[in-house]
Amino acid sequence: MNIDPDDGWSLVVPLKPLARAKSRLAAAAGALLRPRLALAFAQDTVAAALACGRVRDVVVVTDDLAAAAALAALGARIVPDSPAAGLNAALAHGARTVRDARPHARVAALNADLPALRPAELGRVLEAAGEFPRTFLADAAEIGTTFLSAGPGVELAPAFGGASRCRHLSSGAVEIRLAGVDSVRRDVDTGEDLAAALALGVGPRTAAHWDGAAGDRAAG
């Protein structure tokens, strides 16, 4: 569905330097593949988000030059992590950057590790989010958060990390409870998470890296 660009959502996607990203995945992926997978996750997430008709643009907050170049090539706008004060500061900075140009923008934070993300499922989440000033979507474990939205004139006020579902609930954000949006909830931190994402069906970049690594293991 095409919408007026002025009504579209701006998504803020945070990405830490690849050398430090997805540390808990090292046991399953190995030290060499881990940063490559972290970038592939982000590429598949951003590509799917940009393919969603309700999304106007995607702003990636990162200081990683290689990731910045790869994600800019997909059409993302890159914003340096000038606060350098952690995930929530990066998200707040990204939201401010969006609203410096569009003061009444609808803004949402989206995890960078959603390699199975489906544009249609993200669209359903954004449609639901548009009904409330501020909403969030819990992760598959119902402990963390993969998505947080703020409508026009509302601060994003991110509280990601650990048991963020409870914090976002306590902050007054409305929890989105939709069936059939598993791809928006399936973030990947561990080997078990990756297996679940692979079962849903990951994007082409993640699939290529994982299949290539599997081939290498078989050949070895």
Side-chain angles (χ1 to χ4, degrees):
M1 180 184 66
N2 291 323
I3 59 175
D4 186 328
D6 290 338
D7 293 332
W9 287 86
S10 288
L11 302 189
V12 180
V13 177
L15 183 63
K16 67 174 61 174
L18 298 177
R20 296 190 284 109
K22 298 291 126 193
S23 58
R24 293 166 59 195
L25 198 59
L32 292 177
L33 182 58
R34 176 191 53 76
R36 297 173 188 170
L37 279 176
L39 177 55
F41 294 168
Q43 289 174 296
D44 285 333
T45 300
V46 168
L50 287 169
C52 175
R54 292 184 180 273
V55 173
R56 174 192 172 105
D57 55 7
V58 174
V59 172
V60 176
V61 182
T62 188
D63 279 337
D64 191 290
L65 297 180
L71 296 170
L74 295 175
R77 176 185 175 191
I78 307 301
V79 173
D81 184 7
S82 56
L87 174 60
N88 291 307
L91 287 169
H93 173 58
R96 284 193 301 270
T97 299
V98 169
R99 286 181 169 165
D100 283 345
R102 297 171 58 231
H104 302 292
R106 296 179 180 181
V107 178
L110 185 71
N111 284 13
D113 58 351
L114 301 170
L117 185 63
R118 303 287 191 271
E121 293 183 15
L122 176 59
R124 291 184 60 214
V125 171
L126 291 170
E127 181 179 13
E131 299 297 318
F132 302 95
R134 199 161 154 268
T135 72
F136 75 96
L137 186 72
D139 63 10
E142 299 202 342
I143 296 171
T145 305
T146 59
F147 170 93
L148 175 71
S149 74
V154 179
E155 290 298 317
L156 187 62
F160 284 78
S164 60
R165 176 175 180 259
C166 288
R167 290 195 297 276
H168 286 133
L169 270 175
S170 298
S171 74
V174 174
E175 183 171 9
I176 295 172
R177 304 291 288 182
L178 286 175
V181 293
D182 294 352
S183 75
V184 196
R185 302 182 64 197
R186 174 45 66 194
D187 56 343
V188 175
D189 289 314
T190 67
E192 291 78 10
D193 296 337
L194 179 55
L198 290 166
L200 285 176
V202 295
R205 297 159 189 86
T206 300
H209 280 289
W210 188 249
D211 291 346
D216 291 342
R217 289 193 293 270

